[in-house]
Amino acid sequence: MIYLDANATEPLRPQARDVMLAALDLTGNPASAHRAGRAARAVLDRARRVVADLLGVSTENCVFTSGGTEANVLAVRGLGQGRRLLLGATEHDAVRQAPPADADVEWIAVTPDGQLDLADLERKLVAGEGDAFVCVMLANNETGVIHPIAEIARLCRKAGARLHVDAVQGVGRLPVDIATLGADSLALSGHKFGGPKGAGALVLAGESAVVLPPVQAGGGQERGRRGGTPPLPAIAGLAAALDVAVNEGRDLSPMRDRLEAVARENGAVVCGQGAPRLGNTSCLALPGLRRDSQLIALDLAGFCVSTGAACSSGKVTGSHVLHAMGQDDLADYAIRVSLPWNVTEADVDSFIEAYARLAERHKNA
């Protein structure tokens, strides 16, 4: 089996596994005052310090969550409370489904290459009444398209709006510093950069602890912003994986480019090709051959790829991302190939051969 579905989840990094196994042996609750509790608390504090330092925030403003979805919901329903919400049209369902039923929601258009339409954002910031809360992902999970966050932040500041960035696909693959981006908050998820499933974080800009109404109340953990005993092994693994991902900085774009060149030679369309993209992500549409048929054929050939977001790949409708980009004719024929941190040249060579055979069979059918 060759695993090429990193945007759904990355393989666990050995460094994360090692610290998780060590943390599993700790009995204490980080909130307990005795020796066992203090030992657990030291692991939690160390993990928080690593994440905060790597993303350019104070430790007080690093809130651990169960993953990217919870981090996004916490931001939208907490920081966005009482504001009109402006959401990018290609956002992940974790953001699209986060607003309460009675929220005032507007959708920001994207250009045909998948980047946020800055002119449309500016119009909506100026035209609406009341303060806005803008949500834009750093990099799209289906196409890999990278949004111009710094410019988006400038427009938000000018209009007095807050900016939340869903950086789940970008953290660990791109240089990410919340001050450089200009965001007010940023969501990440450990399993997207080689950590375990079940741990994520919402990081907040500012020197002092930002007040954030909790979505999940409880015993006052995370400075009252997210209740519940923290999953210590998962959090420790998240921090270890992030440290490796950021400092390793492996560039996968040469392999991606080679893969895409062969795909185009065999009739595929690379969606979002004109925009800056993640170096590991290819959205390949093969007109006339449905995405589920491609997925099955490639799975039988030994390759794990996807038809879009892992949480929505079973839906009958085509990609909302491609529809928003005006590529309705391709939405039912696109698969996503996302290279993991441990991919090899041989893996890519094997996929290229299998994809070429698939396209040839389709052409001759």
Side-chain angles (χ1 to χ4, degrees):
M1 181 189 78
I2 295 177
Y3 184 81
L4 303 177
D5 196 15
N7 287 12
T9 192
E10 287 270 14
L12 188 67
R13 293 179 185 267
Q15 297 89 343
R17 181 185 293 107
D18 290 345
V19 299
M20 291 174 68
L21 290 173
L24 284 169
D25 286 333
L26 296 176
T27 302
N29 186 314
S32 298
H34 49 60
R35 182 178 301 177
R38 293 197 304 273
R41 181 57 183 258
V43 173
L44 180 64
D45 288 347
R46 184 163 54 250
R48 197 185 308 277
R49 188 164 55 251
V50 168
V51 174
D53 287 349
L54 289 172
L55 297 178
V57 300
S58 63
T59 54
E60 292 84 359
N61 283 330
C62 175
V63 183
F64 286 123
T65 66
S66 63
T69 293
E70 186 187 348
N72 282 316
V73 172
L74 183 58
V76 172
R77 297 191 181 182
L79 296 175
Q81 192 174 64
R83 291 173 173 252
R84 59 191 181 98
L85 304 178
L86 304 182
L87 313 182
T90 57
E91 295 302 296
H92 190 279
D93 278 349
V95 168
R96 291 164 62 85
Q97 302 299 326
D102 60 349
D104 179 9
V105 179
E106 296 179 70
W107 299 97
I108 313 163
V110 296
T111 59
D113 65 5
Q115 284 194 307
L116 199 78
D117 186 328
L118 297 178
D120 189 52
L121 169 61
E122 191 166 21
R123 281 193 298 271
K124 287 180 167 63
L125 285 170
V126 172
E129 295 182 1
D131 293 332
F133 185 74
V134 178
C135 295
V136 180
M137 59 195 347
L138 175 55
N140 187 265
N141 51 298
E142 294 187 27
T143 62
V145 168
I146 300 168
H147 292 296
I149 298 297
E151 182 61 19
I152 292 167
R154 186 188 67 79
L155 294 175
C156 289
R157 286 194 300 271
K158 181 180 175 183
R162 288 178 177 169
L163 173 63
H164 170 67
V165 175
D166 175 0
V168 165
Q169 294 293 346
V171 168
R173 296 172 182 161
L174 297 169
V176 176
D177 178 278
I178 197 166
T180 303
L181 290 176
D184 294 286
S185 56
L186 184 150
L188 61 133
S189 187
H191 73 106
K192 302 296 188 178
F193 43 77
K197 305 170 188 69
L202 176 68
V203 299
L204 307 158
E207 290 302 318
S208 58
V210 174
V211 175
L212 179 65
V215 171
Q216 178 171 305
Q221 293 91 346
E222 299 299 306
R223 295 179 172 265
R225 296 174 292 192
R226 196 274 186 185
T229 301
L232 195 61
I235 290 171
L238 176 154
L242 182 60
D243 189 35
V244 175
V246 169
N247 288 299
E248 182 183 75
R250 187 182 181 196
D251 181 12
L252 300 177
S253 58
M255 281 191 277
R256 179 207 63 187
D257 292 347
R258 186 159 59 84
L259 183 157
E260 290 180 352
V262 174
R264 287 195 301 271
E265 290 171 3
N266 284 275
V269 177
V270 179
C271 302
Q273 184 178 4
R277 289 179 296 137
L278 293 173
N280 79 314
T281 305
S282 298
C283 182
L284 307 176
L286 196 57
L289 185 58
R290 293 190 63 84
R291 55 184 183 154
D292 51 349
S293 297
Q294 296 180 57
L295 180 67
I296 292 169
L298 289 167
D299 187 43
L300 291 172
F303 299 91
C304 297
V305 298
S306 75
T307 57
C311 55
S312 60
S313 58
K315 295 180 181 178
V316 176
T317 56
S319 162
H320 78 274
V321 172
L322 297 186
H323 284 304
M325 293 165 62
Q327 297 183 342
D328 298 29
D329 55 333
L330 299 177
D332 292 328
Y333 307 108
I335 64 169
R336 180 186 67 193
V337 182
S338 46
L339 309 179
W341 62 266
N342 60 350
V343 70
T344 67
E345 295 283 355
D347 292 337
V348 174
D349 289 340
S350 296
F351 176 81
I352 285 172
E353 293 173 6
Y355 191 84
R357 289 195 299 270
L358 172 67
E360 185 66 23
R361 287 197 302 272
H362 169 58
K363 185 167 61 177
N364 293 330

